[in-house]
Amino acid sequence: MPVTMSDERFDELVGDALDLIPEQLTHAIDNVVVLVEPNNPEEPGLLGLYHGIALTERDSHYGGSLPDTITIYREPLLAICNSEAEVVEEVAITVIHEVAHYFGIEEERLHELGWG
């Protein structure tokens, strides 16, 4: 049975997950906005999505670009969890996973590192 949780509590968990990122890395994050949406209409089971130009691929043409986005999808995350503790863990994994894409870490490597 999916976990029921207020939008405010879920948003708080996303903030808590962002706080897990080491300070050295948070200082390197620039021009990125983190959003929470109910789900991805094109891929309803998707837990999170990074959309933008990875830091490792930015060049002199990047200036003036709109912010990259990291979107965390609330409904599929709640649907795969059986307790609030599981939600906390899955939100953290998803946030770290998407932030890693910002730093240019590919999907395969994330799975090798246990953040898949």
Side-chain angles (χ1 to χ4, degrees):
M1 178 140 221
V3 175
T4 302
M5 180 179 289
S6 72
D7 294 352
E8 293 79 16
R9 176 66 178 137
F10 190 89
D11 292 349
E12 182 180 299
L13 295 180
V14 171
D16 292 347
L18 288 167
D19 289 342
L20 296 173
I21 299 169
E23 190 174 327
Q24 295 168 320
L25 294 179
T26 59
H27 288 303
I29 297 173
D30 183 43
N31 203 32
V32 179
V33 63
V34 178
L35 307 169
V36 175
E37 297 289 337
N39 59 47
N40 182 308
E42 295 173 12
E43 292 184 62
L46 197 62
L47 305 180
L49 179 67
Y50 169 73
H51 184 266
I53 300 170
L55 189 60
T56 55
E57 296 182 18
R58 294 181 182 183
D59 59 20
S60 60
H61 295 98
Y62 181 78
S65 296
L66 291 174
D68 293 3
T69 58
I70 292 174
T71 308
I72 306 301
Y73 297 109
R74 182 178 47 254
E75 291 175 6
L77 278 161
L78 293 175
I80 66 167
C81 296
N82 294 312
S83 68
E84 183 165 326
E86 283 185 24
V87 176
V88 170
E89 182 179 348
E90 289 299 328
V91 166
I93 290 168
T94 303
V95 168
I96 300 297
H97 181 105
E98 301 308 330
V99 168
H101 285 316
Y102 165 82
F103 284 105
I105 301 173
E106 299 292 332
E107 198 73 30
E108 182 177 304
R109 183 66 179 138
L110 285 169
H111 284 276
E112 290 172 3
L113 295 170
W115 294 102

